[in-house]
């Protein structure tokens, strides 16, 4: 919940200008919903995709204040972030609610970026694996293999978001590998290798390279550093191995 309309447009314009220098990665921007149309006009027809930060699971109806998946498609969105740590831990959104949204997003052709991650207390208690599996199972219940390959997963260690802390490359890779194993066991190896798993947790241009060099980290979900185009593009420039 940052910037104003002019600032959101200016940021998108700067990212579009720099996108040709990082054409080896897929880029998407996810502004607040009130700026989706303005930013969408800037990125339309460019390599930069548009995404939303959240949505409701119903296509229409008496749900005042909510935004439907069809509305997002109408605005040109390709992606939608679901189950972000702030939605889960600040606004008390459950995995069951996230699951409804995942199915609704897929139904209209949106790519859901589904976030999972543990609190500091859960990591210190040795519960990371249990929390990740519980959130995965609840948020991604009932998906066929064909649907699963259309989903992006983002691992967000909650203790490393907005704190300046970042998981070590080993800690991040361990959880990403666990997520890959969960997918492999539920579906098969082909599906597991097809699903993109992103890391999100105080990512910047300095730590992005080592993180992206890990075998199971396919990209990053950028937070505060995405508010400055040079920092965001600097992170993207570190992703040269993605897709290779």
């Amino acid at each position: 919940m940052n910037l104003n309309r002019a600032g959101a447009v200016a940021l998108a314009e700067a990212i579009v200008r720099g996108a040709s220098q990082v054409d080896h990665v897929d880029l998407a921007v996810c502004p607040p919903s009130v700026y989706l149309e303005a930013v969408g006009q800037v990125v339309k027809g460019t390599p930069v995709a548009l995404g939303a930060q959240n949505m409701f699971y119903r296509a229409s109806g008496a749900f005042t204040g909510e935004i439907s998946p069809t509305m997002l498609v109408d605005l040109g969105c390709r992606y939608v972030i679901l189950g972000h740590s702030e939605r889960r831990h600040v606004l008390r959104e459950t995995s069951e609610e996230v699951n409804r949204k995942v199915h609704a997003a897929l139904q209209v052709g949106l790519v859901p970026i589904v976030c999972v991650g543990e609190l500091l207390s859960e990591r210190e208690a040795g519960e990371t694996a249990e929390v990740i599996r519980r959130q995965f199972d609840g948020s991604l219940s009932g998906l066929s293999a064909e649907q699963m390959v259309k989903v992006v997963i983002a691992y967000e260690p909650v203790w490393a978001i907005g704190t300046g802390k970042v998981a070590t490359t080993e800690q991040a890779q361990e959880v990403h590998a666990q997520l890959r194993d969960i997918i492999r066991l539920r579906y098969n190896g082909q599906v597991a290798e097809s699903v993109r798993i992103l890391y999100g947790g105080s990512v910047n241009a300095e730590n992005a390279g080592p993180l992206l060099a890990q075998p199971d980290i396919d990209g990053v979900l950028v937070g505060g550093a995405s508010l400055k185009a040079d920092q965001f593009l600097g992170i993207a420039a570190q992703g040269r191995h993605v897709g290779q």
Side-chain angles (χ1 to χ4, degrees):
M1 198 168 66
N2 293 289
L3 303 179
N4 54 22
R5 188 182 188 278
V9 167
L11 176 58
E13 290 173 340
I15 290 173
V16 166
R17 286 195 299 270
S20 62
Q21 304 301 311
V22 289
D23 58 2
H24 51 281
V25 298
D26 292 331
L27 296 177
V29 292
C30 300
S33 59
V34 290
Y35 304 140
L36 278 169
E37 185 165 20
V39 171
Q41 290 301 314
V42 174
V43 303
K44 186 177 182 179
T46 77
V48 181
L50 184 68
Q53 297 180 6
N54 186 39
M55 65 170 219
F56 194 57
Y57 59 85
R58 294 288 291 271
S60 63
F63 304 100
T64 301
E66 295 291 348
I67 301 167
S68 77
T70 50
M71 290 175 180
L72 297 184
V73 172
D74 191 32
L75 288 172
C77 287
R78 181 183 175 192
Y79 298 95
V80 59
I81 301 171
L82 299 175
H84 190 281
S85 62
E86 291 148 12
R87 301 292 312 176
R88 291 180 186 271
H89 299 294
V90 178
L91 299 169
R92 303 302 179 188
E93 190 169 291
T94 67
S95 291
E96 290 72 24
E97 290 173 311
V98 174
N99 184 239
R100 290 178 180 177
K101 295 179 180 184
V102 170
H103 282 273
L106 291 169
Q107 189 170 10
V108 298
L110 287 168
V111 176
I113 302 173
V114 182
C115 303
V116 298
E118 82 281 19
L119 299 168
L120 179 60
S121 59
E122 292 168 333
R123 171 163 283 274
E124 290 178 339
E127 298 172 350
T128 296
E130 178 185 344
V131 170
I132 297 302
R133 178 175 287 278
R134 183 171 66 245
Q135 291 180 348
F136 181 99
D137 288 343
S139 302
L140 297 165
S141 175
L143 296 184
S144 67
E146 291 74 18
Q147 290 175 311
M148 189 65 218
V149 296
K150 298 175 183 177
V151 172
V152 175
I153 299 173
Y155 167 54
E156 300 180 296
V158 182
W159 47 273
I161 298 173
T163 63
K165 297 180 180 180
V166 63
T168 66
T169 53
E170 293 78 15
Q171 287 173 323
Q173 165 58 25
E174 180 181 18
V175 177
H176 279 243
Q178 177 195 350
L179 284 163
R180 193 89 61 194
D181 286 340
I182 292 172
I183 301 169
R184 186 177 293 108
L185 289 171
R186 179 187 285 188
Y187 300 99
N188 55 56
Q190 184 177 358
V191 173
E193 294 306 316
S194 297
V195 174
R196 290 185 177 185
I197 307 177
L198 315 181
Y199 173 78
S202 296
V203 179
N204 56 50
E206 287 68 45
N207 61 40
L211 286 164
L212 289 168
Q214 299 302 305
D216 289 300
I217 299 180
D218 302 316
V220 287
L221 183 65
V222 187
S226 67
L227 297 175
K228 294 183 181 294
D230 58 341
Q231 292 185 27
F232 180 71
L233 293 167
I235 292 169
Q238 303 300 312
R240 294 193 177 277
H241 83 287
V242 175
Q244 295 180 352

